[in-house]
Each structure stands twice: as C-alpha cells, then as structure tokens.
Amino acid sequence: MNETFIETLRSWQNFYFMIGGASAGLMGLMFVALSLGTHLVNDQTASNVAAFVTPSIIYFVSVLLVAGVMLVPTFTTLVLGIVLAAGGAVGLVRTTGHVRDLIRVNNEYQDFSRWDWLWQVILPLVSYGLLVLAGLGFLFDQWTVAFMGVWLAVLMLLLCAIANTWSLVLWIVEQGGS
C-alpha cells in the first residue's frame, strides 16, 4: 500500500475523531431536546415532525459513519473509494426522498425561507454528491483531492444537521404556540 496515502490518512485522524464525537454528542442532545419538547407537538404537527427529525438524524449518523470509515487504518484506496461512493449514493437517494417530504410540508405551510432551502435541501444533496465524487477520487488515485471532498462533505452535513435541528425546534415552538 502507498506509504504516502497511509500517512495522509493518519494525519486526518484527529479531525475524524473530533467530527465523529461532535456528531454523536449533538445527536444525543437532539434526542434530549425532542424528549423535553414532546408536549409542544400537537395533532396537527405530529405527522410533519418526522420530515424534519429524520434528515437531521441521518446527517448526524452519516457524519459518524464516515468518521468511523476514515479511521480504519487498513483500508486501501480501492476499498475506501467503494465504501464512500456507495455511502454517498445511498445518502443521495435517501435525501431525495426527504426533499420530497420537505417540499410537501412547505406547500402545506408556506413557511420555508431561502436559508431553509439551503440547509435542508441544497447543501445535503451537494454533500452526498461530494461523498460520491470523493469515493471516485479514491478509486482513481486522486486521493489528495478526495480527502478534501470528504472533509467538506462531512463538515457540511454536520452544519446541515445543526441548522435543521434548530429549525425543527423553532418550528415546533411556532406550531405549538398557535
């Protein structure tokens, strides 16, 4: 195996420990916040909460899984590329389904801002697309650029999950108060 690749993979370890830990911790806080705020969900909003909760959980889990994959010291560029490309493709398919749910909720309530579209639709799709491209980068020995693609994808997914969780909390409070 290429020693330069192994050294580059090792040099990213601290980042993936940090981003994986942040994702796990924030996901736990999200569950606590949702547990404490369940009394704010009424019959009208209960069916739409999943449209907001599920994507955030998936983004947090995606970041955690990618961090775990990037910490495996024995992966070759071939295996790493296949795992990341497949994971990114699954994320794209899954996110496309959530985008349809979010569009349905937006059509019902007409309360999405440009920021909501950015954080809940555009950036998650771009992030999973970047994971696919990064996986292809590892497959075609363009791993220096691929490392940057993975870095950017997981950072954007973590930020999207945080922004979506905040939007969810605000939405529950607004809906619960009306």
Side-chain angles (χ1 to χ4, degrees):
M1 191 182 321
N2 187 341
E3 284 298 317
T4 308
F5 172 73
I6 293 170
E7 281 303 312
T8 305
L9 188 59
R10 282 190 192 131
S11 68
W12 281 95
Q13 281 183 337
N14 286 341
F15 171 75
Y16 288 106
F17 273 119
M18 180 194 70
I19 201 96
S23 179
L26 290 168
M27 188 169 30
L29 286 173
M30 182 177 167
F31 284 122
V32 169
L34 287 171
S35 297
L36 294 173
T38 55
H39 69 282
L40 296 174
V41 179
N42 57 36
D43 292 337
Q44 179 186 5
T45 61
S47 64
N48 294 327
V49 170
F52 293 97
V53 174
T54 304
S56 295
I57 294 297
I58 288 174
Y59 303 155
F60 281 132
V61 169
S62 294
V63 170
L64 190 58
L65 288 174
V66 170
V69 165
M70 295 303 288
L71 289 170
V72 175
T74 57
F75 275 168
T76 62
T77 54
L78 176 68
V79 173
L80 190 57
I82 291 169
V83 169
L84 290 174
V90 168
L92 270 173
V93 169
R94 188 93 169 135
T95 300
T96 302
H98 293 301
V99 165
R100 278 188 242 117
D101 290 341
L102 290 171
I103 290 170
R104 178 188 53 79
V105 171
N106 177 56
N107 289 339
E108 185 176 338
Y109 291 97
Q110 298 294 316
D111 62 352
F112 271 32
S113 69
R114 287 188 180 126
W115 287 108
D116 291 328
W117 285 107
L118 178 69
W119 292 110
Q120 295 181 29
V121 176
I122 297 167
L123 288 181
L125 291 171
V126 169
S127 298
Y128 286 116
L130 267 174
L131 279 178
V132 171
L133 292 175
L136 293 174
F138 284 116
L139 288 174
F140 293 107
D141 287 327
Q142 298 297 317
W143 45 267
T144 305
V145 175
F147 276 114
M148 298 307 286
V150 175
W151 163 77
L152 187 56
V154 295
L155 198 58
M156 284 193 312
L157 281 172
L158 185 63
L159 292 174
C160 288
I162 292 168
N164 291 352
T165 302
W166 181 247
S167 291
L168 170 68
V169 170
L170 292 177
W171 187 77
I172 289 172
V173 169
E174 288 171 3
Q175 298 303 315
S178 54

